Structure formats: structure tokens, C-alpha cells
Amino acid sequence: MNMIRTAMLLAFMTALFMGVGFLIGGRGGMMIAFLIAAGMNLFSYWNSDRMVLSAYRAQEVDAHNAPEFYHMIRDLAANAGLPMPRVYIYQNPQPNAFATGRNPENAAVAASTGLLEQLTPQEVAGVMAHELAHIQNRDTLTMTITATLAGAISMLGNFAFFFGGNRDNNNPLGFIGVLVAMIVAPFAAMLVQMAISRTREYSADRRGAEICGNPLWLASALAKIAGAAHVIHNDDAERNPATAHMFIINPLSGERMDNLFSTHPDTGNRIAALQAMAAEGHSGEHSGGYRPADARSVDTGPAYFGAPASTRGRAADRPTRKSRSVPTTGPVRRHDEPRKGPWS
């Protein structure tokens, strides 16, 4: 159903583009705007992963400096039938994560240190499975096509502003057509773009729950991340608001409602959908989903992954556990040292 809705929204945006293009400059003007917008977004498509990872100063990790997190991604990717993506972690106290890359063969997933420190291993698995679902669903490609059409429509609106008053522009609707091209069409394209983004989140939630094997892991993670996102400020995201749609929960302040202007669905609606999925019997035992070796419940405390001592000290009522390896510049585990934790 979500795929059908996405296809319908893309078809509507294409029709909107063609109609506005015809109003402004006929077929010639429409093609010029489309080619310029396509060129801009093609460059973004091929380089978006490097640009966003650089914007958040993410550092690539491997099996030596972040063994448990890396092996978790490896196991989840194998469960989803995906190639192993590059794995990154970026320093930020706000729990969040995103995926990027133009296709499954050139993909990357990134998690914040806040996510690894504040969530349980099961919740982390649910979040990263969601990001792998975006890769598997090729949502990067979908959003690139959407951005291309939206950019072309906006460019046609600019053409209308500069050339709309020309008597020789063959505009059959006159001044009304110019207003439609300048204001209404770009605004409608923006709404459709956001609607497609929201639709893809629901699809990634469902597929992510199948990959990790337990919808409640992801539901619990969404509740924690959403609560923290409105309390913990994300300076990098505020400086790069155009990347907000990439995250599992909108990292910007003020995003609370499932409305026309939101890039993400309401978190409560997403959690309800996952809970309904769990009630239908979707779990690791039945779907072949990923399961940590110790199979603990989702309320066993944070997945420290080497959380700073100050972070661990805030939860005095939690049982003391050994810190896990983290993707920092600290010492590297010896090759002959056995891995510890739920993903060993």
C-alpha cells in the first residue's frame, strides 16, 4: 500500500511539473528546467553520502575499534540479504541514526554516540534494521527523483517570476497562470515531497521490524529517541536542516505533529503500527529475525558501547556492567581476544 501511495504521489508531482512547465514556457522551458534540476540532483545523488557524513563529522569504524556494533550491522545486513554497508558513528548526545548511499552496494549507516549509550542492544538493533530497510527499499533513489521534480517545479516558478509578464510567453491563463507557477505549484510540490518522505518511514519501520525480528524493539527505540530529540539540541542538524528527513526521528526542534509540513510521521502513530504488527505475531521466532545471543528484554538498560563514565553515572539504579568497545580513538582490541556481549 505504501508503494502504491508513493507511486501515486510521484505521478502527481510529474503531472504538476508538466502542467506548470507548459504554462511558463511550453515544452522548451519545461525541458530546460528539468535538465538543470536533474543535473543538480544527480550531483547530489552521487555525492550525498560523502557530504552528509562530512557534515556530521562521522568516523568510519570496523571490527577492530567497534567490534560489537560492527558485527551487529553485519548480522542484520545478512539477515536482510544486503551487502555489508560502511559503518559510521558520529559524536552527538542526541540519540539518532541515518542511512545514506545511492544503492545497496554503495551504502552507509551511521549512529550517534547518544544512540549507542542510551538505548539497549535490542533497541539499537531495531534502529539499525530500520536504516537498512531504507537501503533495501532504495529510498535514497526515491527521494532523489522526488527532489529532482520538486526542484524543477521551483525553478519553473522562478522562470514565471522573471518572464511571466512577457506577452510572448504563450501563457494561456495570463496572470493567474503566473501566480500558480510562482506560488501554488512549488508549495504543492513541497507538500508532496514531505508526504513521500513520511510514507517511506512507515515502510522502513515495517521492514526494519522484520529484519530485526521484533517490532517492539523498534517501537521502544522510537519512543526514547523522540523524547530525547526534543530535549537534547543537535547543533549539526540545525545547521543542516535539509538532512532532517534522513534520520529515523526528526533531529530538529519543533517537529511534533503528523501534518502536511512534517518530514516524519507522528511517532505515536509509528509506535502504534509496530505494536499492531507485534500483536499479529511478527517476531524473531516466526520471521527468522535477528536476535541478540542473550535474548534479553528491551528494558535491560542502555547499550553502553563504551559510554563515558559521566553518562553511566547518571543511572545509579542500573546494574553495573562492563563498558563495551566504542568507535573512538582508544585502544584496539587484540585479534586473539574473544568478543563479548550479545552479538558474540
Side-chain angles (χ1 to χ4, degrees):
M1 185 63 186
N2 282 331
M3 289 297 296
I4 295 175
R5 183 183 178 188
T6 299
M8 292 176 62
L9 290 170
L10 284 172
F12 172 79
M13 185 174 285
T14 302
L16 181 64
F17 166 75
M18 294 175 66
V20 173
F22 180 77
L23 284 177
I24 300 303
R27 294 181 179 178
M30 180 176 63
M31 287 306 301
I32 291 174
F34 180 78
L35 290 175
I36 294 175
M40 294 170 59
N41 285 280
L42 185 62
F43 173 83
S44 175
Y45 176 64
W46 282 90
N47 298 278
S48 61
D49 54 345
R50 288 189 291 270
M51 290 189 294
V52 70
L53 290 168
S54 176
Y56 289 90
R57 300 183 296 279
Q59 296 184 356
E60 187 170 4
V61 299
D62 55 29
H64 298 302
N65 57 3
E68 295 186 11
F69 183 54
Y70 183 87
H71 284 99
M72 180 183 69
I73 301 299
R74 180 200 62 186
D75 294 343
L76 288 169
N79 198 53
L82 288 170
M84 178 65 182
R86 289 170 291 145
V87 182
Y88 289 81
I89 293 183
Y90 62 99
Q91 297 288 330
N92 196 292
Q94 183 189 85
N96 226 317
F98 63 86
T100 185
R102 58 186 181 273
N103 54 42
E105 291 72 30
N106 297 274
V109 292
S112 70
T113 52
L115 183 89
L116 302 181
E117 293 166 3
Q118 298 174 37
L119 271 63
T120 69
Q122 290 78 12
E123 291 164 345
V124 173
V127 169
M128 302 318 296
H130 170 99
E131 299 306 328
L132 290 173
H134 276 306
I135 295 172
Q136 189 171 56
N137 294 340
R138 296 179 182 268
D139 289 333
T140 302
L141 176 61
T142 300
M143 294 310 299
T144 298
I145 295 173
T146 305
T148 298
L149 292 173
I153 291 172
S154 297
M155 195 165 295
L156 287 174
N158 293 332
F159 287 171
F161 177 78
F162 289 106
F163 306 112
N166 190 339
R167 294 181 180 180
D168 299 326
N169 64 359
N170 298 321
N171 183 348
L173 298 182
F175 182 70
I176 296 178
V178 173
L179 285 179
V180 170
M182 286 176 55
I183 302 173
V184 178
F187 182 72
M190 179 189 69
L191 296 182
V192 173
Q193 186 177 6
M194 291 180 176
I196 292 175
S197 177
R198 294 194 299 272
T199 300
R200 304 318 304 151
E201 289 300 317
Y202 280 119
S203 296
D205 282 347
R206 183 170 187 85
R207 179 56 184 148
E210 294 171 351
I211 292 172
C212 73
N214 192 326
L216 296 181
W217 293 356
L218 179 55
S220 178
L222 290 176
K224 286 186 179 180
I225 297 172
H230 300 297
V231 177
I232 304 174
H233 195 72
N234 190 329
D235 292 329
D236 291 330
E238 297 292 343
R239 286 192 294 267
N240 300 277
T243 64
H245 70 280
M246 301 178 62
F247 290 82
I248 187 169
I249 292 288
N250 195 311
L252 306 177
S253 58
E255 275 291 328
R256 296 180 182 270
M257 299 176 62
D258 191 8
N259 55 36
L260 291 175
F261 304 100
S262 175
T263 58
H264 289 66
D266 177 72
T267 305
N269 293 343
R270 296 171 67 181
I271 292 174
L274 289 166
Q275 291 173 337
M277 184 178 177
E280 293 171 1
H282 293 272
S283 64
E285 288 77 10
H286 301 288
S287 64
Y290 169 83
R291 282 176 290 175
D294 58 1
R296 290 172 295 186
S297 61
V298 297
D299 60 349
T300 55
Y304 285 96
F305 289 95
S310 59
T311 303
R312 297 195 298 270
R314 284 198 298 264
D317 56 334
R318 298 190 184 113
T320 302
R321 298 192 296 172
K322 285 188 177 181
S323 173
R324 298 191 173 117
S325 300
V326 285
T328 62
T329 57
V332 177
R333 180 178 58 87
R334 298 195 315 271
H335 292 282
D336 59 342
E337 181 182 342
R339 286 190 294 114
K340 302 174 183 179
W343 302 291
S344 56

